[in-house]
């Protein structure tokens, strides 16, 4: 059994079962780039501060750079007995350059080391997640531009409510995903401080230049309390919260894609590349990609709840429970990125059946509110107009006709305020065009919203 780097106080080796149970190298090896990057900055500072010889610092840095290249090339096999990525890299370094490698950990604990690595990792992943969100928003804007005039029913309670356009509907998700980007940026800004130098919990007696290391690694500053520096994981929880909201927005959209692609709606047809069939029923074309994203949303929610539960009762400072932060964080990152990567091309390639959408907008009395608004503009109080139109809808239901199928005499029998122009006012095209309020579905309002969204993207 290999000797532990922390084994001086112990008389016996770690039980093999405990060793396997205790080790995190199976999953935290993905932090190797961040770990080596942090170690290089730390070693350079140690040499600059005279804590170790400058020549020793250079030897350590050169050794770390070679280890990084070898890991990238797939030439390194990690050792479970070395427990984690930090001790694996230090072990390899010492094997290669000798006792000088043992000086790397001067003035540092794995507690502040891992807190640094996870921050560096999450910085990189937020950049990539934001890029995927930008790509999705770009596609949504492109599709919205194609369908400024594509009329469809808007829904409340999954019942037809008022006519809108597909562009207006898509722009609602542009707003949601835009807020998701803002949350990620806010999260990244908040945790962009370096914990390195916090030590195990109480700092160190060595004259570390914490700010120089932070600046080299791209941080805005340093943590102001060493206890907090090593025991804080709220930044990981915050990311999982932001990821959960991204997934919630994707899931809502997927639910609509699933409905719209059904025979009952037939508003869209998904490209074959983003659909699957049935092993038994030859006619099936299933929206499995959308369904999987909807299902994976619960997985990311679970990652968030797991992290909250891990942290909820931990006394200061570091506790081994916190090793459990990584698998859930990694899973949330992987799941969100994977879902965005497949969702965007699914939207880009879906075929819109505009005639079906417009036909849907003409049913379900979606113009009833416009009839009430018409009366209100003629001097009838809206509350009275609402009552009148409610009775007209009931009459239409009993006759199995639409409001626009009524005769002018029928309209006049309900209110003398109706005039011949009512038939133009309640056409679905007119209903949409008249909603010119900023943020509404009228073509000019939609075009302005598209332009504003493009300017925000830069």
């Amino acid at each position: 059994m290999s000797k532990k780097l922390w084994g001086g106080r112990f008389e016996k080796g770690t039980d093999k079962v405990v060793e396997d149970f205790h080790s995190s190298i199976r999953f935290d090896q993905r932090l190797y780039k961040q770990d080596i990057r942090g170690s290089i900055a730390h070693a350079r500072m140690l040499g600059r501060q005279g804590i170790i010889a400058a020549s020793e610092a250079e030897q350590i840095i050169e050794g770390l750079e070679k280890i990084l290249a070898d890991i990238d090339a797939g030439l390194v096999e990690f050792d479970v007995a070395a427990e984690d990525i930090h001790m694996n890299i230090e072990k390899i370094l010492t094997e290669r350059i000798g006792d000088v490698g043992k000086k790397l950990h001067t003035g540092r604990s794995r507690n502040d080391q891992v807190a640094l690595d996870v921050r560096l990792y999450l910085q990189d992943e937020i950049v990539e997640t934001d890029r995927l969100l930008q790509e999705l928003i770009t596609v949504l804007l492109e599709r919205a531009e194609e369908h400024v005039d594509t009329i469809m029913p808007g829904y409340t309670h999954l019942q037809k409510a008022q006519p809108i356009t597909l562009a207006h509907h898509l722009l609602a998700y542009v707003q949601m995903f835009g807020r998701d980007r803002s949350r990620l940026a806010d999260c990244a800004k908040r945790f962009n401080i370096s914990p390195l130098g916090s030590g195990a919990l109480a700092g160190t007696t060595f004259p570390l230049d914490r700010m120089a290391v932070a600046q080299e690694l791209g941080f805005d500053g340093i943590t102001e309390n060493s206890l907090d520096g090593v025991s804080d994981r709220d930044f990981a929880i915050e990311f999982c919260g932001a990821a959960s909201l991204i997934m919630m927005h994707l899931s809502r959209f997927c639910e609509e894609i699933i409905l719209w692609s059904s025979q009952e709606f037939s508003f869209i047809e998904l490209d074959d590349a983003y659909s699957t069939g049935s092993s038994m029923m030859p006619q099936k074309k299933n929206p499995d990609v959308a369904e999987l994203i909807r299902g994976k949303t619960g997985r990311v929610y679970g990652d968030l709840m797991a992290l909250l539960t891990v942290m909820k009762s931990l006394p200061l400072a570091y506790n081994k429970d916190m090793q459990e932060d990584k698998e859930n964080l990694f899973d949330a990152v992987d799941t969100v990125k994977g879902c965005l990567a497949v969702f965007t091309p699914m939207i880009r390639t879906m075929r819109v059946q505009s005639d079906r959408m417009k036909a849907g907008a003409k049913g379900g009395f979606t113009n009833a509110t416009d009839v009430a608004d018409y009366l209100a503009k003629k001097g009838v109080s809206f509350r009275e107009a609402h009552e009148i139109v409610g009775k007209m809808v009931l009459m239409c239901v009993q006759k199995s006709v639409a409001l626009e199928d009524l005769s002018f005499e029928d309209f006049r029998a309900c209110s003398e305020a109706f005039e011949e122009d009512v038939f133009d006012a309640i056409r679905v095209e007119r209903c949409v065009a008249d909603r010119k309020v900023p943020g509404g579905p009228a073509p000019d309002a939609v075009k302005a919203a598209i332009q504003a969204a493009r300017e925000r993207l830069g």
Side-chain angles (χ1 to χ4, degrees), residues 15 70 73 414:
D15 187 280
D70 286 347
C414 295

Side-chain angles (χ1 to χ4, degrees), residues 390-452:
K391 291 179 179 178
M392 292 176 68
V393 169
L394 178 59
M395 179 177 65
C396 289
V397 170
Q398 292 170 343
K399 292 183 176 182
S400 298
V401 297
L403 283 167
E404 55 267 36
D405 295 329
L406 296 175
S407 67
F408 181 61
E409 289 72 22
D410 291 329
F411 276 94
R412 290 287 288 186
C414 295
S415 173
E416 292 185 357
F418 284 117
E419 298 178 14
E420 291 281 358
D421 62 348
V422 68
F423 293 102
D424 179 60
I426 64 175
R427 290 185 303 110
V428 291
E429 296 87 352
R430 180 68 181 274
C431 294
V432 170
D434 282 350
R435 294 196 175 90
K436 298 176 182 178
V437 62
D444 286 347
V446 166
K447 290 175 184 176
I450 292 172
Q451 179 61 30

Side-chain angles (χ1 to χ4, degrees), residues 24 78 156 249 261 331 413 428 445:
S24 61
F78 295 116
T156 63
H249 291 147
S261 64
D331 183 71
V428 291

Side-chain angles (χ1 to χ4, degrees), residues 447-457:
K447 290 175 184 176
I450 292 172
Q451 179 61 30
R454 287 199 182 282
E455 290 174 359
R456 285 193 296 273
L457 274 180

Side-chain angles (χ1 to χ4, degrees), residues 268-296:
I268 63 167
E269 183 178 357
L270 294 175
D271 190 87
D272 286 357
Y274 299 93
S275 307
T276 63
S278 165
S279 63
M280 181 178 183
M281 299 171 284
Q283 83 281 11
K284 295 299 293 295
K285 183 176 182 180
N286 299 323
D288 280 7
V289 169
E291 290 173 356
L292 268 175
I293 293 173
R294 185 177 61 182
K296 287 178 181 292

Side-chain angles (χ1 to χ4, degrees), residues 10 61 99 169 213 219 271 285 292 300 316 342-343 347 375-376 409 439 445 449-450:
F10 292 82
I61 291 169
D99 286 349
H169 194 102
V213 175
F219 289 104
D271 190 87
K285 183 176 182 180
L292 268 175
V300 176
L316 293 177
V342 73
F343 182 83
I347 297 300
L375 289 174
E409 289 72 22
I450 292 172

Side-chain angles (χ1 to χ4, degrees), residues 71-352:
I71 296 175
D72 283 339
L75 301 176
V76 172
E77 185 174 340
F78 295 116
D79 180 9
V80 171
E83 300 179 7
D84 54 39
I85 189 61
H86 326 297
M87 293 178 69
N88 263 272
I89 288 174
E90 183 176 338
K91 175 175 174 286
I92 295 167
L93 179 68
T94 302
E95 289 171 350
R96 292 187 179 188
I97 69 172
D99 286 349
V100 172
K102 296 178 181 180
K103 296 188 176 185
L104 171 61
H105 210 55
T106 305
R108 186 175 68 169
S109 164
R110 281 187 295 174
N111 294 357
D112 57 350
Q113 187 176 359
V114 68
L116 174 80
D117 291 358
V118 177
R119 279 175 166 82
L120 290 173
Y121 165 80
L122 207 47
Q123 284 176 342
D124 295 338
E125 294 300 339
I126 283 179
V127 169
E128 177 61 14
T129 304
D130 182 69
R131 184 193 67 78
L132 291 167
L133 283 168
Q134 287 186 64
E135 184 179 346
L136 172 55
I137 291 170
T138 298
V139 169
L140 289 173
L141 291 173
E142 290 171 354
R143 298 309 312 256
E145 283 183 323
E146 295 171 23
H147 294 285
V148 170
D149 298 312
T150 300
I151 294 173
M152 66 173 290
Y155 293 84
T156 63
H157 309 281
L158 201 55
Q159 298 185 62
K160 292 178 182 179
Q162 292 179 283
I164 58 171
T165 63
L166 178 57
H168 190 229
H169 194 102
L170 295 175
L171 287 173
Y173 286 100
V174 168
Q175 294 296 315
M176 296 180 210
F177 293 123
R179 291 193 296 273
D180 289 329
R181 290 189 65 207
S182 177
R183 270 183 287 270
L184 287 177
D186 195 42
C187 174
K189 182 178 180 180
R190 198 171 357 265
F191 75 75
N192 196 37
I193 50 176
S194 171
L196 206 59
S198 297
L201 78 159
T204 176
T205 58
F206 292 99
L208 306 183
D209 188 344
R210 294 188 64 200
M211 188 59 74
V213 175
Q215 290 173 345
E216 179 175 340
L217 294 173
F219 289 104
D220 295 330
I222 59 174
T223 54
E224 297 180 0
N225 182 283
S226 60
L227 290 168
D228 179 59
V230 298
S231 64
D232 161 37
R233 291 298 183 273
D234 55 12
F235 64 92
I237 294 170
E238 187 174 357
F239 173 82
C240 287
S244 294
L245 285 167
I246 294 171
M247 291 301 298
M248 180 268 289
H249 291 147
L250 286 173
S251 183
R252 293 185 73 180
F253 205 161
C254 283
E255 173 67 12
E256 292 179 328
I257 294 298
I258 292 161
L259 290 171
W260 292 356
S261 64
S262 68
Q263 291 296 316
E264 286 73 17
F265 281 77
S266 293
F267 285 178
I268 63 167
E269 183 178 357
L270 294 175
D271 190 87
D272 286 357
Y274 299 93
S275 307
T276 63
S278 165
S279 63
M280 181 178 183
M281 299 171 284
Q283 83 281 11
K284 295 299 293 295
K285 183 176 182 180
N286 299 323
D288 280 7
V289 169
E291 290 173 356
L292 268 175
I293 293 173
R294 185 177 61 182
K296 287 178 181 292
T297 298
R299 178 174 178 155
V300 176
Y301 290 179
D303 293 328
L304 171 61
M305 291 308 300
L307 280 178
L308 286 167
T309 305
V310 164
M311 296 300 296
K312 72 177 180 62
S313 298
L314 298 186
L316 293 177
Y318 182 85
N319 295 268
K320 191 65 174 181
D321 313 48
M322 292 164 67
Q323 180 172 292
E324 291 297 297
D325 64 347
K326 295 171 198 63
E327 287 182 281
N328 293 113
L329 177 61
F330 296 163
D331 183 71
V333 167
D334 293 345
T335 303
V336 169
K337 288 167 55 182
C339 288
L340 286 169
V342 73
F343 182 83
T344 298
M346 180 178 71
I347 297 300
R348 182 187 290 119
T349 57
M350 74 178 184
R351 184 168 64 88
V352 176

